[in-house]
Amino acid sequence: GWIDVPQDGIWCFELTSDDGSELFIEGIRIISNDGSHGPVTATGSIPLQKGLHSFKLHYFDDTGDQELSWAWKKEGEPTFRPIPIDKLYYR
């Protein structure tokens, strides 16, 4: 899919999953939260210009519970927030 970044800057992403997950933006792995585990949060950042950027979000579930969420913030902001649905596109 694509993510619509609202302004230039360094963007930080947070990925929480039970079990493994990975986030790629523009083909670059930003977060690797791989393996069989309970809910674990991992973060990563990347400089991005305003506009659309390709992303891939890989996830697998092994046993037990299922959980997957991701959030973002611009560097310098105090807290992560959910990515608005109107900022995500797919084909």
Side-chain angles (χ1 to χ4, degrees):
W2 291 269
I3 186 167
D4 189 8
V5 174
Q7 55 185 266
D8 294 355
I10 297 175
W11 285 85
C12 307
F13 292 86
E14 178 181 76
L15 184 58
T16 302
S17 63
D18 174 2
D19 292 287
S21 58
E22 293 180 308
L23 175 62
F24 295 81
I25 297 181
E26 294 294 340
I28 300 167
R29 185 170 54 191
I30 305 304
I31 300 173
S32 178
N33 193 7
D34 205 13
S36 296
H37 51 72
V40 173
T41 299
T43 61
S45 60
I46 185 172
L48 296 171
Q49 293 182 335
K50 178 181 178 175
L52 293 174
H53 297 273
S54 66
F55 78 89
K56 288 184 183 180
L57 181 56
H58 296 167
Y59 168 71
F60 80 90
D61 181 54
D62 194 4
T63 60
D65 295 332
Q66 303 93 28
E67 181 175 341
L68 178 66
S69 64
W70 64 320
W72 66 353
K73 68 177 185 170
K74 190 172 177 194
E75 188 176 62
E77 292 179 347
T79 58
F80 285 94
R81 60 191 187 283
I83 300 169
I85 194 71
D86 67 345
K87 297 294 183 188
L88 300 173
Y89 302 89
Y90 69 94
R91 173 173 47 172

